[in-house]
Amino acid sequence: MAAGAADAASIVSAALSALRGALDQVPDVIRSWRRVVAEARRTRADDGGDGTR
C-alpha cells in the first residue's frame, strides 16, 4: 500500500510540475500575441484597412 501511495504522489508531483511549467509560459505567449495583433493592426492601418497597399 505504501509503495502505491508513493507512486501516486510522485505522479501528482510530476503532473503539477508540468502544469507549473506550462503556466510559466503564459505571459510570454500573451506578449507574443499582443505583438502579432499590434503588427496586424499597424499593417491594416498602413493600407487603409482594405487589405491592399
Side-chain angles (χ1 to χ4, degrees):
M1 251 332 161
D7 289 341
S10 65
I11 292 170
V12 170
S13 178
L16 289 175
S17 180
L19 179 61
R20 181 177 177 199
L23 290 175
D24 284 346
Q25 300 300 315
V26 169
D28 293 333
V29 171
I30 291 170
R31 278 192 288 275
S32 295
W33 274 107
R34 284 183 177 162
R35 284 194 295 269
V36 168
V37 170
E39 180 61 28
R41 286 180 177 161
R42 186 168 46 252
T43 300
R44 186 172 174 160
D46 290 346
D47 66 19
D50 63 0
T52 60
R53 284 189 171 220

